[in-house]
Amino acid sequence: MVAGPDSVLPLMFSGSPQWQAIRLAWSRLIDPCPVLVMISNGGLVCCWKGAKCWMFRSASWSQGACRDGMPQQREAIAELIADLLFDLQLPGAELVLCLPPPSGSWCVIDGLTDDDWDSNGLLRDRLGSADLPFDLEQSYLMTGSIQDSVAVAGVARSLVQAWVDVVESADLPLRRISWSLMDAQRALVQLTQDWSGDLVWLLVQGEAVRLILMRDRVPEVDHALSSVDPEVCVSEARSCLQAWQETLNL
């Protein structure tokens, strides 16, 4: 049997690139699916909510493709992300890009009021007199509430723009960019709601170890340890903890 024109046209139309693009855009509109993409120097981990549970998928890129959170091989990384999301069959995927700890710095600021905020967030000029661990003018700011204080993280604008370019090259929508250490701190607060004492948080990523000391769930000390050797880490952690406790007892 030979198919007539009416049966051929829908098949040709449904397979056209324009039609596929329309279907993809429609899926993103009516059924968006946030996909957390956690970046590291060795690769990435994707996390999204499936029908019954959270789903994970990891992928690695070549050595040197990413250094301290900065993409060095943008086209290759964009292609890997695009191929991975295509394989996952998530047409409504919207990326939430989570940058690794080395890509940013943070501090806790007290005494902010409602006048220090507007509809776009924290007013940058309110931080001009603060002792920040990053260059305010050259940084993209991220904020998070901690008790009565505010955690402010700064990531270099050039690094953020580099990842925006990567996601654009992958032809994927970017919902937002976050910083992994601030995200992890919020999760830690949720996990320790029943704990009322001080917290010692040891964060290990690749060849870097940092010690974070928290009182009332507010980070007060963020100290990078000099080695990943367990004995050295224990010795440095004890010294740092002792100095912190002596300072609090003054």
Side-chain angles (χ1 to χ4, degrees):
M1 179 181 294
V2 179
D6 291 340
S7 62
V8 174
L9 182 58
L11 180 60
M12 294 174 60
F13 182 66
S14 64
S16 69
Q18 295 85 352
W19 176 244
Q20 295 296 334
I22 292 173
R23 290 182 59 188
L24 181 59
W26 181 248
S27 296
R28 289 172 176 171
L29 178 63
I30 65 173
D31 190 22
C33 175
V35 178
L36 178 64
V37 181
M38 294 169 284
I39 301 297
S40 70
N41 287 340
L44 58 82
V45 177
C46 290
C47 173
W48 70 99
K49 192 171 185 180
K52 297 182 179 179
C53 62
W54 286 96
M55 309 292 289
F56 298 87
R57 176 73 70 86
S58 63
S60 301
W61 39 60
S62 60
Q63 186 174 4
C66 183
R67 186 177 301 118
D68 292 336
M70 174 65 79
Q72 306 294 322
Q73 301 173 15
R74 301 186 188 184
E75 291 185 3
I77 292 176
E79 184 176 351
L80 184 149
I81 294 176
D83 289 345
L84 181 61
L85 267 293
F86 179 80
D87 291 342
L88 295 177
Q89 298 183 358
L90 298 172
E94 295 182 349
L95 301 190
V96 177
L97 202 62
C98 188
L99 302 177
S103 64
S105 302
W106 66 339
C107 63
V108 176
I109 297 179
D110 302 318
L112 295 177
T113 66
D114 292 340
D115 294 335
D116 297 315
W117 304 80
D118 63 11
S119 58
N120 295 319
L122 180 63
L123 296 172
R124 298 178 69 92
D125 59 4
R126 298 296 198 272
L127 301 176
S129 60
D131 184 16
L132 303 174
F134 50 82
D135 186 331
L136 179 61
E137 296 302 321
Q138 300 299 322
S139 298
Y140 173 82
L141 298 184
M142 306 175 193
T143 61
S145 299
I146 302 181
Q147 306 290 62
D148 296 328
S149 305
V150 176
V152 180
V155 178
R157 290 181 181 272
S158 57
L159 189 149
V160 172
Q161 186 58 54
W163 281 109
V164 170
D165 294 342
V166 167
V167 176
E168 287 183 351
S169 296
D171 194 24
L172 292 166
L174 178 61
R175 173 174 286 199
R176 65 182 176 89
I177 294 178
S178 66
W179 186 47
S180 58
L181 194 53
M182 190 171 286
D183 290 342
Q185 184 272 333
R186 284 192 288 263
L188 183 65
V189 169
Q190 294 297 319
L191 293 171
T192 58
Q193 288 183 350
D194 296 331
W195 176 256
S196 58
D198 298 336
L199 287 171
V200 178
W201 184 17
L202 194 64
L203 183 68
V204 181
Q205 186 185 48
E207 298 299 317
V209 183
R210 60 203 298 170
L211 179 72
I212 300 175
L213 304 178
M214 307 173 69
R215 167 151 291 196
D216 295 329
R217 296 184 179 82
V218 178
E220 293 192 352
V221 175
D222 183 358
H223 175 70
L225 301 183
S226 63
S227 171
V228 296
D229 179 83
E231 293 186 3
V232 176
C233 285
V234 169
S235 178
E236 282 194 44
R238 285 176 174 171
S239 297
C240 187
L241 180 60
Q242 181 178 356
W244 180 57
Q245 291 176 329
E246 289 175 353
T247 301
L248 294 175
N249 290 332
L250 290 179

Short mmCIF file of all heavy atoms in Angstrom, two decimals, residues 88 176 212 241:
data_model
loop_
_atom_site.label_atom_id
_atom_site.label_comp_id
_atom_site.label_asym_id
_atom_site.label_seq_id
_atom_site.Cartn_x
_atom_site.Cartn_y
_atom_site.Cartn_z
N LEU A 88 19.64 11.60 29.37
CA LEU A 88 18.76 11.45 30.52
C LEU A 88 17.29 11.62 30.15
O LEU A 88 16.41 11.33 30.96
CB LEU A 88 19.13 12.48 31.59
CG LEU A 88 20.50 12.32 32.24
CD1 LEU A 88 20.77 13.45 33.23
CD2 LEU A 88 20.65 10.97 32.92
N ARG A 176 19.54 29.13 37.71
CA ARG A 176 20.32 29.97 38.60
C ARG A 176 21.69 29.34 38.83
O ARG A 176 21.93 28.18 38.47
CB ARG A 176 19.62 30.17 39.95
CG ARG A 176 19.45 28.94 40.80
CD ARG A 176 18.70 29.25 42.08
NE ARG A 176 18.45 28.07 42.88
CZ ARG A 176 19.28 27.59 43.80
NH1 ARG A 176 20.43 28.21 44.03
NH2 ARG A 176 18.98 26.51 44.49
N ILE A 212 35.58 23.99 59.21
CA ILE A 212 34.63 25.07 59.48
C ILE A 212 34.07 24.88 60.88
O ILE A 212 33.53 23.81 61.19
CB ILE A 212 33.50 25.09 58.43
CG1 ILE A 212 34.10 25.29 57.03
CG2 ILE A 212 32.49 26.19 58.74
CD1 ILE A 212 33.10 25.20 55.92
N LEU A 241 40.85 24.27 66.69
CA LEU A 241 39.72 24.18 67.61
C LEU A 241 40.08 24.75 68.98
O LEU A 241 39.29 25.49 69.59
CB LEU A 241 39.27 22.73 67.74
CG LEU A 241 38.09 22.45 68.67
CD1 LEU A 241 36.85 23.21 68.21
CD2 LEU A 241 37.80 20.95 68.72
#
